[in-house]
Amino acid sequence: MSVLLVGCGYWGKNWAKTLAAMGELGAICEPSDALRSLLRESYPDLPIEVDLQMALQIPGIEAVVIATPVVTHRAVAQECLRAGKHVLIEKPMSLQASEAAELVELADSSGLVLATGHLLMYHPALLKLKEMIGRGELGDILAVQCTRVNLGKVRNEENVWWSLAPHDLSIISLLLEEPLQPTGALKLNPLGRSGVEDTVYAAFRTLSGREASVQVSWLSPYKKHETLVIGTQQIAVFDDALPWEKKLSVLPYTLERDGEMVSGLTREESIAISYEPGADLLTREAEAFLQACRGQRASLPNDGRNGLEVVRLLEDVQTRLNQQKIPCPV
């Protein structure tokens, strides 16, 4: 199956390398003259187009990966779906839930696969953790807490919530498999840019009463990409900043209660959990998408509806952030 890659910038170039290594890259559509020149050197036998309509007419193209700026996702995806192509859109799927819903409806009505680039839903440690949750190894799940902070790349065109939180919202959706509803949100704008939050904390609850939270910031002096799953018997820790063999561990503990009060807590030693790393994450995601396009798998964890749900949560929390008035430094 030949895949058209639309957009070959910061993240798109990784898609190009991955699809080419898999033998699935059929063409690239890239508006930048400078990038197209470089791409022709790297992929001399590949059609490199500037016009999307022309690229979609290349014989053999059956699927499209969209790695363009998010403001263009809706228009590009619509054109690709209307041309009868399966589509994977990098995260976030859109800037509005209504736009994401339109794309889901268009794909469904056309019988096409629509997926979102939620890469971490294919992380083998998180898939192992999902299995453990399903087997009840942690006890009853009480909460999932995600932290994604670093002194990292600061953006001007989007805030930290839209930039980083899609990763963690997709992780929570993978592990809990329940719709979330926001219950609170807090923002900080220490860099003083109106409408561009630098730190965000958001809280959620599921219908079954489980709690979840996401903290994101690009102004932290240390790097932490961590997911905690708190069960009644064990707490699982996924720390993506650690080496592969140490990323997943569990901490057994015992709570002693006196009615609604906690009278004591006893912790045991942390236990590392082994898992098979397998292929790199982008290859795993690409393989799953292409299998779905070929009808070789019934569903994707990162399908269009998952992408829509993540955008809905991003939008709902942003509405709460917009209502929070805080003074910005001059």
Side-chain angles (χ1 to χ4, degrees):
M1 179 174 291
S2 289
V3 179
L4 167 65
L5 172 62
V6 183
C8 205
Y10 171 73
W11 187 246
K13 65 184 179 183
N14 296 321
W15 269 109
K17 292 177 182 178
T18 297
L19 291 169
M22 295 171 63
E24 305 283 5
L25 185 60
I28 296 175
C29 181
E30 170 54 55
S32 166
D33 293 339
L35 278 179
R36 285 200 311 279
S37 297
L38 293 174
L39 290 168
R40 289 191 179 99
E41 295 178 7
S42 300
Y43 306 99
D45 300 324
L46 205 67
I48 311 292
E49 297 286 348
V50 63
D51 183 77
L52 179 57
Q53 290 186 352
M54 295 291 292
L56 289 170
Q57 294 173 18
I58 294 173
I61 295 295
E62 298 179 65
V64 181
V65 170
I66 299 172
T68 58
V70 63
V71 294
T72 69
H73 284 182
R74 178 196 188 190
V76 174
Q78 279 182 333
E79 190 164 351
C80 295
L81 290 168
R82 287 169 178 162
K85 313 301 182 185
H86 305 291
V87 171
L88 184 147
I89 313 170
E90 265 306 328
K91 61 87 183 170
M93 186 177 179
S94 177
L95 289 174
Q96 297 181 26
S98 59
E99 294 180 353
E102 289 176 6
L103 296 177
V104 170
E105 183 177 354
L106 179 56
D108 287 349
S109 64
S110 304
L112 296 168
V113 174
L114 178 62
T116 312
H118 291 157
L119 189 68
L120 290 174
M121 298 185 83
Y122 291 91
H123 199 295
L126 289 170
L127 294 174
K128 177 70 172 181
L129 177 52
K130 180 180 174 65
E131 291 178 6
M132 295 170 63
I133 292 171
R135 291 195 296 262
E137 294 182 23
L138 306 184
D140 295 331
I141 303 304
L142 303 176
V144 177
Q145 299 175 355
C146 295
T147 303
R148 187 169 303 274
V149 300
N150 195 8
L151 193 62
K153 184 176 181 179
V154 178
R155 299 179 182 273
N156 291 299
E157 67 277 8
E158 64 184 1
N159 64 17
V160 72
W161 176 245
W162 285 83
S163 180
L164 300 183
H167 293 298
D168 299 298
L169 293 174
S170 67
I171 289 173
I172 296 171
S173 71
L174 175 74
L175 298 178
L176 292 187
E177 296 184 300
E178 283 189 273
L180 297 173
Q181 289 298 329
T183 57
L186 175 68
K187 68 180 179 181
L188 295 176
N189 294 56
L191 296 183
R193 298 171 300 166
S194 178
V196 184
E197 290 83 6
D198 304 303
T199 298
V200 172
Y201 179 89
F204 307 87
R205 182 185 291 271
T206 70
L207 290 176
S208 66
R210 292 167 169 171
E211 305 278 355
S213 65
V214 174
Q215 179 184 356
V216 289
S217 177
W218 46 40
L219 288 179
S220 171
Y222 54 85
K223 179 179 180 179
K224 178 183 280 190
H225 294 173
E226 182 182 78
T227 298
L228 304 179
V229 181
I230 302 172
T232 54
Q233 298 173 14
Q234 299 190 95
I235 298 174
V237 182
F238 167 67
D239 190 340
D240 205 15
L242 293 179
W244 276 94
E245 65 276 9
K246 297 181 179 180
K247 286 184 185 292
L248 183 60
S249 62
V250 294
L251 178 68
Y253 75 102
T254 303
L255 273 181
E256 298 175 9
R257 290 185 176 274
D258 183 5
E260 294 185 355
M261 305 300 291
V262 175
S263 57
L265 188 153
T266 304
R267 58 177 291 168
E268 301 178 21
E269 292 296 321
S270 179
I271 304 169
I273 303 298
S274 62
Y275 58 93
E276 292 294 330
D280 70 269
L281 299 189
L282 199 55
T283 299
R284 293 167 69 106
E285 184 178 49
E287 287 176 343
F289 172 59
L290 294 176
Q291 287 170 0
C293 295
R294 296 182 178 115
Q296 296 171 350
R297 60 183 293 163
S299 62
L300 293 169
N302 59 322
D303 64 9
R305 295 188 184 280
N306 177 256
L308 167 59
E309 177 64 10
V310 168
V311 173
R312 180 186 70 81
L313 293 172
L314 290 169
E315 194 175 54
D316 287 352
V317 168
Q318 187 64 56
T319 298
R320 290 174 176 264
L321 296 177
N322 293 343
Q323 294 169 350
Q324 179 191 345
K325 305 298 182 182
I326 61 173
C328 293
V330 177

